[in-house]
Every structure is written in structure tokens, then in C-alpha cells.
Amino acid sequence: LGPVRIAYPQAVPFKPSFVKTAIDVYEHTPVVVATFAAGALDDTRVLRGSVHVQACNDQICLPPSKLAVSIPLAE
């Protein structure tokens, strides 16, 4: 089962030289918090998922990437 809620950090407006209007981005190391129903992860040792990211600077944005995430859960 998936999370019942996902909380994202506050985005920051960023206006690269190649766009007309600012885009919302996350800077540095953003923290995303996923909340699961009570007991939903009882039999889970490792939580696996993916994060979609796209790196940009003032001159260029790299193509979007999908990163695999694996989080060991405490017993």
C-alpha cells in the first residue's frame, strides 16, 4: 500500500535566463515526509520507491531523471 499523505517542502521561485516566468524548485536537500496508515509497514524491512528529479541552473535544465530509493526501516 502507498502512503496516506506526502508532505513536500516549500518550493522556491527560480527564474533561469531561458524562461519568461519563474518556476518553483526545491533547493539543496529537500525533505519529503510520507505518512503511512498504522500497521501498514509492520512486515516491511525496506521501503522502496522512486523520486522524479530534474537538475537546473541559470543556463540549462538537464533531462528529467527517475531515481530509485531504498530506505531500511528500523526493527
Side-chain angles (χ1 to χ4, degrees):
L1 293 172
V4 294
R5 181 175 181 264
I6 300 177
Y8 295 92
Q10 181 68 40
V12 176
F14 174 65
K15 188 172 179 316
S17 60
F18 56 89
V19 298
K20 291 181 181 180
T21 59
I23 55 177
D24 287 337
V25 300
Y26 301 119
E27 295 182 313
H28 310 292
T29 306
V31 175
V32 177
V33 178
T35 303
F36 291 82
L41 301 178
D42 284 353
D43 296 327
T44 304
R45 295 191 189 272
V46 178
L47 187 60
R48 300 180 200 286
S50 61
V51 178
H52 297 254
V53 298
Q54 186 172 15
C56 295
N57 65 24
D58 190 55
Q59 302 299 314
I60 190 171
C61 281
L62 297 177
S65 296
K66 185 168 136 178
L67 305 176
V69 177
S70 180
I71 303 167
L73 300 178
E75 292 185 29

